[in-house]
Amino acid sequence: MTSTMRLKDKTEILRERRFATFFAGNVVSKIGDAAVPVAFALAAYQVSGSASGITWVLLSLWGARFLMVASGGRVADRYDRIKVMIGADVLRIVAQGALALLFAGLLPVQSWHLCLSAALYGVGTALYNPAQIGLTPELVPEERLQDANGLLSLVADVAFLLGPVLAGVLMSTVGFSWVLWIDVASFAVNLALLLRLARIHTPARQTRAAAPQDPEDAGDEDAGPEDTRFRAGFAIMAQYPWFGVGMALWFVVSLGIGLTAVAGPVIAVESLGGPGAWSVLATCLAVGSLLGSVTVISAAKQHPWKAAAVVVALGAVLQFTALTMRDHLSTAVIGISFAVSALTTAACGIVWDTAYQSEIPERYLSRLGSIDNFVNAIGVPIGMLLGALFTAHYDVVFLGLSLLLVLLGIPAARLAGRGRKATA
């Protein structure tokens, strides 16, 4: 009963009109997106007739995100974040809508069509995500920021859990073109809600400009034009050592996620009885991630990054240890380690987002958010590459990542920030 009351209290934030408008669009968009990853992979295989088609589509998506993530943070810090998100959604509507027309019979579909659509979609995502990171603290009081991030993460987890099922149903009934049209419709709804949000929300930068300036901050404003290049984000990061160490920790976690995506199926087939074992482990990941978001949302108080840095490291080490001892453990026990690792990653990810949204000055927020996205955009594929290159030495790689997590978890906790918005 107490947990239910806490969860109800946490969702009171939806009474805030601006956040409720933003959140409603996010829910619709994530549900529309849910089936796309699996359906896109199936469509790429059907069009190309080989696994290489899937590879090229994934490279197009990740490559575009990698190349544009720098611009995403810079643009979101310089311009109205809602307008940036609107532009990103328009781009993603064009990408999915044009491909849907091709699959509806407009022209014969070729692999490069899917690659181009995936690349445009990746560019849109690279623009949208940093802007969302910077916008969220503007929509809610600081003490409710973790609740807001928890609800957003919960929606993503539910979509991740439902995605494969929706993809299977839609691909076997109405076909890939309708998967794309559903995605287009969801982006259109989000676009309409963002336009409404633009009418009822005043960006924080405009609010500051209209307010009397603090004498202590006047020198900063008169110091000259600000360097908005992506590499300037790393110079800003140097002012906050706890953020840099935290990013290093999350990079290793991302490596582990990518490695597990490749090594997990191999280990399941070779050591755990077959593809069915990987299905169990993948389900445990999805369920654990969902529980992690629920745990943070229903918590009685806001969790500090100091503790979360240690927890996320230990959760990943637990999973790697279980995979290393796979010959001595049952699939059920390994599945539990997967669920725990996903739970800690999801929960601590929310704490991390809240920590830097609370402490980093607003004018730097999207650029550091783009670095956060950059780390994930590069860490996961590098982890996949490790999984492909070291198939005979997974135990050594798991051990190396575990040691790095332990070594980084300690300073990440010791350097954890102050928990309040910086003024410099």
Side-chain angles (χ1 to χ4, degrees):
M1 179 65 70
T2 301
S3 297
T4 303
M5 292 180 65
R6 286 177 184 169
L7 189 58
K8 183 178 179 180
D9 177 65
K10 299 295 183 178
T11 56
E12 286 292 315
I13 194 174
L14 295 176
R15 294 182 181 274
E16 166 56 52
R17 185 174 59 153
R18 294 177 306 162
F19 180 74
T21 302
F22 166 67
F23 182 74
N26 185 269
V27 170
V28 175
S29 180
K30 283 292 189 293
I31 292 175
D33 264 349
V36 170
V38 174
F40 227 100
L42 293 173
Y45 182 77
Q46 291 171 355
V47 171
S48 65
S50 69
S52 64
I54 302 176
T55 302
W56 281 110
V57 168
L58 289 175
L59 286 174
S60 300
L61 174 66
W62 284 95
R65 289 189 63 180
F66 175 78
L67 292 174
M68 286 299 298
V69 70
S71 298
R74 183 173 67 247
V75 169
D77 272 342
R78 292 185 66 182
Y79 303 104
D80 187 314
R81 291 182 174 119
I82 297 177
K83 292 180 180 177
V84 172
M85 294 162 70
I86 289 171
D89 267 359
V90 169
L91 184 59
R92 292 192 288 190
I93 287 173
V94 171
Q96 302 294 65
L99 189 61
L101 288 173
L102 292 179
F103 269 89
L106 185 64
L107 289 173
V109 181
Q110 299 180 33
S111 293
W112 70 268
H113 294 141
L114 284 88
C115 291
L116 179 60
S117 176
L120 290 175
Y121 189 96
V123 171
T125 301
L127 292 170
Y128 191 97
N129 287 348
Q132 176 180 304
I133 289 170
L135 176 66
T136 305
E138 296 182 14
L139 302 178
V140 297
E142 185 173 330
E143 65 273 12
R144 305 305 297 270
L145 185 54
Q146 183 165 290
D147 299 339
N149 285 322
L151 288 171
L152 294 171
S153 178
L154 180 63
V155 172
D157 290 334
V158 170
F160 175 60
L161 190 60
L162 295 178
V165 177
L166 290 174
V169 172
L170 293 173
M171 289 292 284
S172 62
T173 54
V174 295
F176 183 58
S177 62
W178 278 102
V179 174
L180 295 173
W181 286 126
I182 291 171
D183 200 24
V184 168
S186 71
F187 282 132
V189 172
N190 188 45
L191 188 62
L193 290 170
L194 286 173
L195 288 169
R196 180 175 184 273
L197 180 60
R199 293 195 298 269
I200 63 177
H201 174 63
T202 302
R205 281 159 289 187
Q206 292 183 18
T207 303
R208 278 205 313 273
Q213 190 179 58
D214 190 325
E216 295 182 2
D217 296 335
D220 292 339
E221 298 295 329
D222 298 334
E226 186 178 322
D227 190 347
T228 59
R229 292 171 295 181
F230 180 62
R231 65 184 183 187
F234 289 94
I236 296 168
M237 188 170 66
Q239 301 175 30
Y240 308 96
W242 67 270
F243 184 88
V245 177
M247 278 283 78
L249 177 64
W250 282 111
F251 177 70
V252 179
V253 172
S254 297
L255 287 178
I257 292 171
L259 173 64
T260 301
V262 175
V266 175
I267 290 173
V269 171
E270 294 182 352
S271 303
L272 302 178
W278 175 242
S279 297
V280 171
L281 296 180
T283 301
C284 289
L285 283 174
V287 171
S289 185
L290 180 61
L291 290 175
S293 296
V294 172
T295 298
V296 174
I297 293 172
S298 59
K301 61 180 181 179
Q302 188 164 306
H303 297 286
W305 169 240
K306 183 183 290 290
V310 176
V311 171
V312 70
L314 293 179
V317 169
L318 175 64
Q319 177 183 306
F320 297 155
T321 301
L323 286 171
T324 302
M325 300 177 62
R326 57 191 175 275
D327 293 331
H328 307 285
L329 300 174
S330 66
T331 301
V333 172
I334 297 175
I336 291 172
S337 75
F338 270 56
V340 171
S341 178
L343 187 155
T344 57
T345 300
C348 295
I350 296 170
V351 174
W352 167 255
D353 288 345
T354 304
Y356 80 79
Q357 287 172 338
S358 298
E359 298 187 39
I360 302 298
E362 183 273 336
R363 65 181 181 274
Y364 301 144
L365 198 50
S366 288
R367 262 169 296 170
L368 294 189
S370 69
I371 292 175
D372 190 16
N373 277 264
F374 173 81
V375 165
N376 289 315
I378 194 172
V380 172
I382 289 177
M384 292 177 176
L385 184 61
L386 290 176
L389 292 177
F390 296 98
T391 52
H393 305 285
Y394 283 149
D395 292 352
V396 175
V397 180
F398 287 139
L399 177 61
L401 292 182
S402 297
L403 289 174
L404 284 174
L405 286 168
V406 171
L407 292 174
L408 288 169
I410 295 173
R414 294 190 63 182
L415 291 171
R418 298 181 299 277
R420 59 184 178 83
K421 181 73 77 174
T423 57

